[in-house]
Amino acid sequence: ANVVRVSKRIEEVLKQGRRRIPKDYIQDWRGAEGFIDFQSDQLAGTVLVDKSVASTMQVLPTNGNLNMEYIKHKISQAFNYRESKIPHIISDSTQSFRLVNGLFDGLPGLSVDMYANYAMIQINSRYWRDYTRKIANYLLKFLDRCIGVYLTENIKKDTVFRQYLEEEYEAYKKNNMHLKKPKRKFKIKKSECVAGKKAENNTIIAREGDYKYHIQFDNGSGTGLYLDQRENRLNLKELLKNKKNGSFLNTFSYTSSFGVVAASEGYHTVNVDESENCLAKSKQNYKLNNLDTNAHKFWKKDVFQALKVFGQDRKKFDVVLLDPPTVSRVTIKNNENYKPVKDTFTTKKNYSELVRLAADLVVPDGYLITFSNTLSFKPYEFESQINEGFESAMQDKIKIIGERKYLAERKKLRLDKIARKTRYNLLKFYDFEPPYEEVKNSLDYHLTNEWGLPEDFATLENDEEGRYLKGKVWKKPSHKEVYSVRKLEKPKENIYN
């Protein structure tokens, strides 16, 4: 393969030890894509250039030659690293963990997850396709526990069209036409077994600590268990030990792995998700862990709508967990006729709205757990959105409490039966000033913990972008920390005269 000499500005980036090259340096590769061997006066390596990937340029420390020997060496290194960090998981063939984590392990755009005796290879760049079958066969030989290997591709649709229909794409391109979906239909498998023994019905049962989960291999990367949350599920278990027989609200519940942990700790759980299929799998996971599904709630509902219903019903929970996807279609607001309207939810724009609806659902001394898995959502932006949501929740509560007190006094004094002028004079004797201090203190959440990725999802020290999973645990003030409600003064004795 031809070796490319890098520009001076790219060389400066590489000297800093960074393996993600900024997008605006893309022109330095003169339109080339794929695995490109490069060299400079002091450095040599390989860079993966793929415009369809969020991190367009990522460096592999190959010394200028990418081959299977390099890949095997990196997989072996990755295994040794995890064996030193999580030996109790590596030694148990029923447990699940990440074996290869892309850029950190010198294989950007590629990851390998272990679910009990099966490996799942994931690629997000089409340039890995020439290597995947060889990697799968190597995993079977290298790992004693491995009996089968599945492959899934997280590649954009337009990239798939170009890869499989190159001729049609070139024809459109020559005629100065944009890429269109071809008339002939074809189906691309979400995932398939590429080496070893295929799992029965493409489903197995894998463990995570003391818990069991159904794993589905024929649904792409959506296996039913996100391994990057493994450590946080254990953190949740420790958090819930402080109080038994509480209530737990699990929003965007997916297959309810967090719900399983909470239910196992004696909590009554409410799992909310808009997917009926996910809720069916949630019930399977509960039954797998000997949990009575009738003692818990599985609600097929838009999460934003569900939070509004809980607010209207003054429902309270000991722990509320928010773990939304990066993008989803939800009912964020109503239209002019007060009918719910579907809109696109993104964590970067709408997370504050989610916090606003959830903040007052937590009991005093309870917890609000907030997660974001958006790669481009910086930690300070995430915290800013959360604080904005707390502030909006305070304003909402001030308005609600004021209205409730006003209506309570009207009902008590039967003001509806009194003339309007008399009613106006009567209300002047009452202080309906909103209880600012009371509300402020009741929603004055304090950050108690920050959760993130487990050790098998390790990232490079200067790779902030790779630490995509951000978790913050907020504690609500107890009753003792909140100002008591100020009672309304009694009316003067001569008020009816």
Side-chain angles (χ1 to χ4, degrees), residues 67 107 162 239 267 297 390:
N67 51 37
L107 300 169
R162 276 186 285 169
L239 185 72
Y267 275 61
K297 187 171 183 178
F390 286 147

Side-chain angles (χ1 to χ4, degrees), residues 427-476:
L427 290 174
K428 286 196 299 184
F429 289 94
Y430 287 83
D431 182 6
F432 291 106
E433 181 182 351
Y436 293 108
E437 290 299 324
E438 172 204 342
V439 173
K440 181 181 176 183
N441 284 276
S442 70
L443 292 175
D444 190 18
Y445 279 87
H446 298 285
L447 183 63
T448 60
N449 280 299
E450 294 194 57
W451 296 346
L453 292 166
E455 289 180 302
D456 46 326
F457 280 76
T459 57
L460 299 170
E461 185 177 351
N462 57 2
D463 185 24
E464 183 180 327
E465 192 173 329
R467 292 184 284 277
Y468 61 91
L469 182 62
K470 297 166 281 289
K472 295 181 182 293
V473 182
W474 306 85
K475 188 173 184 181
K476 194 173 185 180

Side-chain angles (χ1 to χ4, degrees), residues 210-211 244 258-267 269 286 289 291 296:
D210 299 328
Y211 309 110
K244 294 293 182 180
F258 281 110
V260 167
V261 174
S264 299
E265 291 300 311
Y267 275 61
T269 62
Y286 269 60
N289 289 276
L291 298 169
H296 303 273

